[in-house]
Amino acid sequence: MKILVLNGPNLNMLGIREPDIYGSSTYDDLISLIKSHCKEKGIEVECLQSNHEGVLVDYIQQAFFDKVDGIVINPGAYTHTSVALLDALKAVQIPAVEVHISKVNEREAFRQISYVSYYCSKTITGKGFDGYIEAIDYLGTLA
Ligand code: DQA
């Protein structure tokens, strides 16, 4: 099983950005956690991050050609604005889970819409880094 973990804008700033909301652990800590979990489970994983919407679209499209079995996506702020990310997910038809570190549903009104949720089979919010692990394990059950 091959999984792509995709993080959007500002998630490379974990540990620095708003630690009261996102915690004090870094992006590298997140990637280490994901990689060690996947190693334990025998899952092949690629972790990518970009601050650019079009690059994220390219990564989703590439997942199709790389025969990726599942996508875990935290689109950051593009969650609330990007039809392009939704369309990319619809184009590749790879099972996907949406993850948010924070409790987006308890935050500002503009965070209450998620375009990718129109495609993703599951949305996990407010569980910190554990949300990514839950998403990977969920995708594992589909294999
Ligand atoms: C986020 C929530 C988004 O609203 C925000 O723009 C982010 C991170 C989260 O992981 O909680 O960048 O996706």
Side-chain angles (χ1 to χ4, degrees):
M1 164 148 227
K2 206 166 160 181
I3 286 181
L4 169 65
V5 178
L6 200 51
N7 278 289
N10 300 306
L11 288 154
N12 57 316
M13 296 293 280
L14 287 171
I16 297 166
R17 74 181 292 208
E18 303 177 89
D20 46 319
I21 296 175
Y22 300 109
S24 55
S25 299
T26 65
Y27 178 74
D28 285 349
D29 293 335
L30 172 64
I31 301 313
S32 303
L33 177 77
I34 290 169
K35 286 194 171 162
S36 71
H37 181 76
C38 288
K39 195 174 174 188
E40 218 171 86
K41 297 265 165 171
I43 294 169
E44 192 184 330
V45 68
E46 182 173 31
C47 300
L48 298 172
Q49 187 275 333
S50 178
N51 293 322
H52 306 277
E53 186 175 14
V55 174
L56 293 165
V57 169
D58 290 343
Y59 287 156
I60 292 169
Q61 290 182 6
Q62 190 57 45
F64 174 81
F65 298 105
D66 292 346
K67 301 195 183 326
V68 164
D69 302 299
I71 297 175
V72 175
I73 184 165
N74 181 347
Y78 290 137
T79 305
H80 319 298
T81 61
S82 181
V83 178
L85 288 179
L86 170 63
D87 284 350
L89 290 169
K90 287 169 83 173
V92 298
Q93 288 293 308
I94 297 169
V97 177
E98 173 186 6
V99 172
H100 299 286
I101 294 166
S102 67
K103 293 180 178 159
V104 271
N105 41 322
E106 294 177 13
R107 297 179 65 192
E108 302 94 326
F110 64 82
R111 293 187 206 273
Q112 303 314 311
I113 175 110
S114 165
Y115 287 96
V116 297
S117 73
Y118 284 88
Y119 177 79
C120 291
S121 34
K122 194 176 168 71
T123 298
I124 299 165
T125 64
K127 295 190 173 174
F129 289 4
D130 289 345
Y132 290 84
I133 303 302
E134 191 179 316
I136 289 164
D137 288 346
Y138 171 79
L139 288 169
T141 65
L142 304 180

